[in-house]
Amino acid sequence: MTGAGVMEVLYNVLVVVLIVFVATGAVPVVTAAFHFLMVPLHAVINHYRRADAHFPRVVVLIPAWNEAPVIGATVDRLMQLSYPVDRLRVCVVDDASTDDTPDVLAAKALQYPGQVIHLRREQGGQGKAHTLNHGLEVILADDWAEAVLITDADVIFTPESLEKMTRHLADPRVGAVSAYIAEGSRDRNYMTRFIAIEYVLSQLAARRAQNVLGAQACLAGGAQLHSRANLEAIGGRIPTGTLAEDTVATFESQLHGRKMVFEPRAVVLAEEPRTIDGLWKQRLRWARGNVQVSWIYRKVWFRPHRGHHLGNIAFGLSWFSIFLLPFAMVLSSVGLIGLLLLQSDLAQLVFRALWVTASVSFLFSMLVGIQLDPRIGRHSWREAFLFPGLVSFVVMIAALFPGLIEVWLPSLFGLKLLPVGETILTVFVYVWISAAMLAAWGARAVEKTRVGRWLSPLLIYLVGYGPMLCAITVDSYIKEWRHADATWIKTEKVGRVLG
Amino acid sequence: MNEPTRLETEEARRELRRDARRELWLIPQSVLALVIVLAVVWVRQAFFV
């Protein structure tokens, strides 16, 4: 082969590699769309047929550290649940609180004698899993409890939520049941509206799809009901040593052959962060936990197994399409810029294919999502459509309707895009896929400044909540790579949840 | 400790059947979403390509 021939082959290989790079950007959206296509199947493939009226003796286990503003109301609401009163106890493990939490709990123990148990750790701060294990040790030492509901101090259970969860434990194959945690702040802001829609997508949609596929990625930390048998099977304690104790407990339960069920009709309300910084700290903990889980269970992924569904291809794709989403975004940008330099027409074609696929998948996912919880859909539909950010939303419109943004819109003002402007715009759009993550980082930095109060929400609407979550995932890679301090930082809660 | 009453059990079973029926709404909801997406794609193909 001549030198020119070798160069031509190398050139063609490079073009194919760049197309593959761009295509990786489509994998997460196509995987997400696949999951949303699973959602209607939950109408027929669900656990209701094997569920039955079932009222086991339940201990509600609440870890608490300086929860005086919220814990009293939480205990009161739990005692008002629509559940046989002699089959329900509340056990609060006070993790060496320094506020009035012990006094509030002492008063509640007097108010509900025999039903509210107050345990105290004199040395706290080791994290949630250690606090829970202190309580589990006491609860499982006695044979009264047939099931344990693990929740958080600020979570509000709707009256019928517990009985909707326990009915699935009538099937002995079920080890645990998770409820739908909805964002429930009275005074919503832009951040809580984004979180509300995220929870609809990640729980009401994704966890229904996981019910259909037979494997759950994670039980909601604030509302997970375990059977006694399941807890005993995983050693009677929540695994410690990671930042994702909920996910590890979920995986361990499934690896021990037990089924996890998501119950979409058991609704609980929780207070969520209201600022970028608050959300960043909370999600960084979750994302770092996911990095740890991905490594711990490295021998489980993509290896189908008779005893559980965690090794299914679809489940693995779902997990890694979120975990590796930032890589996919960067590869996509690199591929597009590379193609632009080599063959600009091909770059445009591939870009349109990517964004049309992404737009159609996104539109379908959001249209399904906003119908799943009408209350959230009504107040957060704008955040649903601006989830990827206003800039990306405009790019989607441009990809779906060629000429609308770049020709028709300027023509309304008698303008026409010059070739140089067109090139700048093209490069910006190709780079934006990954630059959005950097912009989200910037929004966090801006929040701490004097203008942050009004500018950072504006930036998040422009940049997108989704890219911000990707930026947090990148931060988690960095923190785990550097073995950064993994001290448990509690998300501040002040009792804003709807009564 | 009292066993759950027959009334409680019956009510729980009724609620279970009701929730199972409510899940059927997922089908028309998804069909509606699909119809809207197909309409958008049709507009694109008809007027913009």
Side-chain angles (χ1 to χ4, degrees), chain A residues 42 52 164 167 265 399, chain B residues 2 13 15 19 23 44:
Chain A
H42 198 260
D52 196 2
K164 283 179 188 280
R167 58 197 183 181
R265 308 282 164 190
Chain B
N2 300 324
R13 286 195 176 130
E15 188 68 21
D19 285 346
E23 285 300 281
R44 169 190 156 80

Side-chain angles (χ1 to χ4, degrees), chain A residues 136-162:
Chain A
L136 283 175
E137 200 178 323
V138 175
I139 292 166
L140 296 178
D142 185 288
D143 61 3
W144 189 87
E146 293 172 313
V148 178
L149 173 64
I150 296 174
T151 183
D152 291 330
D154 63 304
V155 169
I156 304 276
F157 280 70
T158 52
E160 69 288 358
S161 50
L162 179 57

Side-chain angles (χ1 to χ4, degrees), chain A residues 42-43 46 48 208 264-265, chain B residues 19-26:
Chain A
H42 198 260
N46 56 50
Y48 291 118
R208 270 190 174 107
R265 308 282 164 190
Chain B
D19 285 346
R21 275 199 305 274
R22 281 181 191 157
E23 285 300 281
L24 294 173
W25 276 103
L26 293 172

Side-chain angles (χ1 to χ4, degrees), chain A residues 36-37 39-44 46 48 51-55 57 83-84 86-87 89 144 160 163-164 167-168 208 263-265 352 356 360 363-364 367-368 371-372 398-404, chain B residues 1-5 7-45 47-49:
Chain A
F36 276 83
L37 284 169
V39 172
L41 294 183
H42 198 260
V44 283
N46 56 50
Y48 291 118
D52 196 2
H54 185 54
F55 302 95
R57 295 187 297 268
Y83 199 79
D86 56 343
R87 292 180 167 258
R89 288 180 185 172
W144 189 87
E160 69 288 358
E163 65 173 311
K164 283 179 188 280
R167 58 197 183 181
H168 294 286
R208 270 190 174 107
E263 170 51 74
R265 308 282 164 190
R352 276 207 196 286
V356 168
V360 167
L363 186 61
F364 177 71
L367 287 170
V368 171
Q371 297 176 81
L372 294 177
L400 276 176
F401 308 114
L404 188 70
Chain B
M1 183 164 309
N2 300 324
E3 287 301 307
T5 63
L7 198 67
E8 281 172 329
T9 306
E10 280 308 309
E11 178 52 34
R13 286 195 176 130
R14 258 199 303 279
E15 188 68 21
L16 183 58
R17 285 193 292 271
R18 206 176 302 146
D19 285 346
R21 275 199 305 274
R22 281 181 191 157
E23 285 300 281
L24 294 173
W25 276 103
L26 293 172
I27 296 171
Q29 285 173 344
S30 300
V31 169
L32 176 63
L34 200 59
V35 166
I36 294 173
V37 170
L38 289 177
V40 169
V41 172
W42 179 80
V43 169
R44 169 190 156 80
Q45 295 302 112
F47 301 106
F48 290 90
V49 180

Side-chain angles (χ1 to χ4, degrees), chain A residues 58-60 75 79 85-91 105-118 142 144, chain B residues 1:
Chain A
V58 176
V59 175
V60 184
V75 171
M79 299 317 296
V85 71
D86 56 343
R87 292 180 167 258
L88 183 66
R89 288 180 185 172
V90 176
C91 173
L105 289 172
K108 290 297 159 195
L110 278 174
Q111 189 181 345
Y112 305 105
Q115 282 191 283
V116 173
I117 305 153
H118 174 205
D142 185 288
W144 189 87
Chain B
M1 183 164 309

